[in-house]
Amino acid sequence: MLSIVVFLPLAVAAVLLAVPRLGDAVVRWTWVVASAVEVVLAVVLWVGYRDNTAGAGYGYGYEVNRRWIPSVSSGYHIGVDGISLPLIALTAVLFLACAVYSLRMTDRIRSFAVLFLFLETVCLGVFVSLDLILFFVFFDLSIVGMYFVIAGWGHRDRVRAALQFFLYTFLGSLALLLGFIGLYLAAEPNTFDMVALTEQNPLAGKGTVAALVLLAIFVGLAIKTPTVPFHTWLPPAHTEAPAAGSAILAGVLLKLGTYGFVRIAMPMLPDTWRDWAWAIIAVGVVSVLYGALVALAQQNFKRMIAYTSVNHMGYIVLAVGAAGLVSTSDEQAQSLASTGAVTQMVSHGLITGALFLLAGVLYERGGTYDLGSYGGLAASTPRFAGLTAVAAFASLGLPGFSGFIAEFQIFTGSLPGAPVATALSFLGILVTAALFLRAFQRLFLGPPTKTVAADLTATETVAIAPLMVLAVVLGLFPRFLLDLVEPAAHTLGTLVSR
């Protein structure tokens, strides 16, 4: 079942390539139907999942373990738990939204659809991998897919932005591989199996060696996340990428980094994670404040949204750092922080994915992302203004939206172990509120300065509105998500506090 979920998009992509005479309309709707089937399968996985966590180890659902590269003890080992399953569902939902959003697209639609189906498979592959080599293969292939999306369908400076994105994130992948090899060599017997490495804790008491392995893994994941100071590839990549590419880059690909923290770094290097938790918290706080303040200074709407991603990813890094700091002293705080981090991944994916699709609508209507070129759009585009307002309020963490649930858990869980850092991070919410309200006022209120007569089309509304509906549902009724995440977060705390 899990293999079908992962590889179905790739199989559909292969069919689209193998049958060249299909018309553009057939290609578009094949992409949409395949993405819709993925959402249905993700729901089936969710409904059928039963938590079987026991003791100090992880219990995975839908687990498959087959021989793959026996010479280095690397296998085709996949499975899901309460941390990975919500991210699988998020991935399926966002790729469906992008498929629907791209229904009116005419520029090389076959290649575009194939790349997105390929990206869906590799992203899902990361979230189900229980082997470090398998994880690395999917992780690295995501860079290749997004490079071609940016370089092939981006804006004016797309080639330079795509090259910067590729080189930066590929460097991070090399650092990540170096850390994985360090874990492999330390294990007895040598293995890349993530479950075995979690049980072994092979670098316990290894001091400097363990710190260097954690540094390599942290840098590789931090570049992908990205955190300050590894974030510089993100704004140009987002600014030049097509709207659907930006939605997937922010909504899914950034989560590959934060997911790696909770799946690999924390449970496999628990002692070292606790020892360096203060440094991880510092990186999170700087990312929160820097991302918010630089976003406030932007005149480019899409670039502003990109910097808010640095801000929101900083909250996750703060939470996972604080979870390590309090893991041995306050079990409830640790569980809250870890649960908040996963909830923030899901929330940010929905909200920021919608914001980037809305930014794409703005560019298609007006030809620019410059805030100063617009004004008074609410009169001529009420649906566009309404959805943008909802997305902006959701992003700044207003109660009633998923962002509030996530940030409340993060702050509550982080405060006991890092009160000063958490207090400083509160300022990020204030700055985020200011920047979104300022952007909304300049775009939609006041006298009109650029005519944008066309409101959201039915296709655009169907693509974007469900993301906001889900953000509201999670904000008002979070229990169905938290019931899934909390047991896995508790087990994670048990592993980190060993």
Side-chain angles (χ1 to χ4, degrees):
M1 176 64 177
L2 201 54
S3 296
I4 292 172
V5 172
V6 173
F7 291 105
L8 177 62
L10 187 62
V12 174
V15 170
L16 292 179
L17 286 175
V19 188
R21 294 185 179 181
L22 293 176
D24 285 354
V26 175
V27 170
R28 291 189 195 97
W29 283 105
T30 301
W31 180 16
V32 170
V33 170
S35 300
V37 170
E38 282 292 293
V39 172
V40 173
L41 291 176
V43 172
V44 171
L45 284 178
W46 192 307
V47 172
Y49 174 75
R50 295 293 179 268
D51 178 70
N52 57 349
T53 302
Y58 270 121
Y60 292 95
Y62 308 102
E63 191 171 359
V64 177
N65 194 356
R66 299 285 184 271
R67 285 165 58 87
W68 182 37
I69 313 176
S71 59
V72 292
S73 298
S74 177
Y76 176 70
H77 192 183
I78 59 174
V80 295
D81 68 349
I83 293 174
S84 56
L85 193 50
L87 296 174
I88 291 171
L90 169 69
T91 301
V93 167
L94 279 178
F95 273 95
L96 175 58
C98 290
V100 174
Y101 182 87
S102 302
L103 276 173
R104 70 269 167 80
M105 187 175 177
T106 57
D107 182 20
R108 295 165 291 160
I109 183 62
R110 182 192 305 272
S111 300
F112 195 70
V114 165
L115 276 174
F116 269 76
L117 289 165
F118 168 78
L119 271 171
E120 185 167 10
T121 283
V122 297
C123 291
L124 291 169
V126 170
F127 294 134
V128 304
S129 293
L130 296 178
D131 180 274
L132 290 180
I133 294 299
L134 191 64
F135 180 98
F136 179 79
V137 168
F138 285 125
F139 188 91
D140 227 23
L141 288 175
S142 69
I143 302 171
V144 177
M146 187 52 65
Y147 167 81
F148 284 110
V149 169
I150 297 172
W153 288 267
H155 303 314
R156 183 180 58 193
D157 203 19
R158 61 184 182 274
V159 175
R160 183 173 181 272
L163 181 62
Q164 186 178 4
F165 160 77
F166 185 89
L167 292 178
Y168 245 104
T169 51
F170 187 66
L171 177 64
S173 293
L174 295 179
L176 194 63
L177 181 60
L178 189 63
F180 289 174
I181 293 172
L183 284 168
Y184 169 81
L185 294 175
E188 290 291 344
N190 298 143
T191 183
F192 283 106
D193 188 83
M194 293 164 67
V195 176
L197 288 168
T198 300
E199 292 172 350
Q200 279 193 37
N201 186 13
L203 286 167
K206 295 296 179 65
T208 303
V209 174
L212 290 174
V213 171
L214 177 62
L215 178 64
I217 292 174
F218 183 85
V219 169
L221 297 173
I223 290 175
K224 192 78 166 184
T225 298
T227 65
V228 175
F230 307 111
H231 68 286
T232 52
W233 63 266
L234 183 69
H238 271 310
T239 304
E240 303 303 329
S246 289
I248 295 303
L249 179 59
V252 181
L253 263 65
L254 302 191
K255 309 306 177 296
L256 306 187
T258 52
Y259 176 73
F261 290 135
V262 297
R263 176 61 75 228
I264 298 170
M266 293 175 71
M268 295 183 196
L269 293 158
D271 301 336
T272 316
W273 187 269
R274 293 197 305 269
D275 292 341
W276 292 94
W278 60 270
I280 296 163
I281 290 171
V283 170
V285 173
V286 171
S287 298
V288 166
L289 296 178
Y290 180 87
L293 290 171
V294 177
L296 182 64
Q298 299 304 308
Q299 299 302 312
N300 182 300
F301 183 57
K302 201 177 187 188
R303 200 174 181 90
M304 182 199 80
I305 300 169
Y307 274 109
T308 64
S309 289
V310 178
N311 163 263
H312 285 99
M313 294 298 98
Y315 290 125
I316 297 174
V317 176
L318 166 68
V320 295
L325 204 61
V326 302
S327 59
T328 58
S329 59
D330 192 334
E331 183 179 313
Q332 184 177 8
Q334 187 280 333
S335 182
L336 263 177
S338 299
T339 303
V342 178
T343 307
Q344 177 75 333
M345 294 183 212
V346 176
S347 172
H348 177 266
L350 293 172
I351 296 167
T352 306
L355 280 168
F356 276 119
L357 293 180
L358 289 165
V361 172
L362 182 71
Y363 185 85
E364 289 174 10
R365 303 292 195 273
T368 179
Y369 296 116
D370 181 46
L371 292 171
S373 299
Y374 299 96
L377 296 183
S380 58
T381 58
R383 288 194 301 275
F384 180 39
L387 266 180
T388 305
V390 172
F393 285 125
S395 188
L396 61 87
L398 201 70
F401 295 99
S402 56
F404 173 77
I405 301 296
E407 290 170 10
F408 178 80
Q409 290 179 314
I410 288 172
F411 290 138
T412 306
S414 302
L415 198 59
V420 175
T422 306
L424 289 172
S425 297
F426 267 103
L427 298 175
I429 297 179
L430 181 63
V431 178
T432 303
L435 67 91
F436 272 114
L437 291 175
R438 187 202 65 158
F440 186 83
Q441 185 178 32
R442 295 183 68 178
L443 287 173
F444 296 103
L445 306 179
T449 55
K450 180 185 279 288
T451 302
V452 178
D455 203 351
L456 288 180
T457 65
T459 299
E460 291 163 345
T461 304
V462 170
I464 300 169
L467 301 179
M468 289 295 90
V469 170
L470 284 173
V472 173
V473 170
L474 286 175
L476 297 177
F477 309 103
R479 195 68 260 167
F480 75 96
L481 174 63
L482 300 183
D483 283 343
L484 188 67
V485 175
E486 284 173 354
H490 177 74
T491 302
L492 177 65
T494 303
L495 294 169
V496 176
S497 61
R498 286 180 292 175

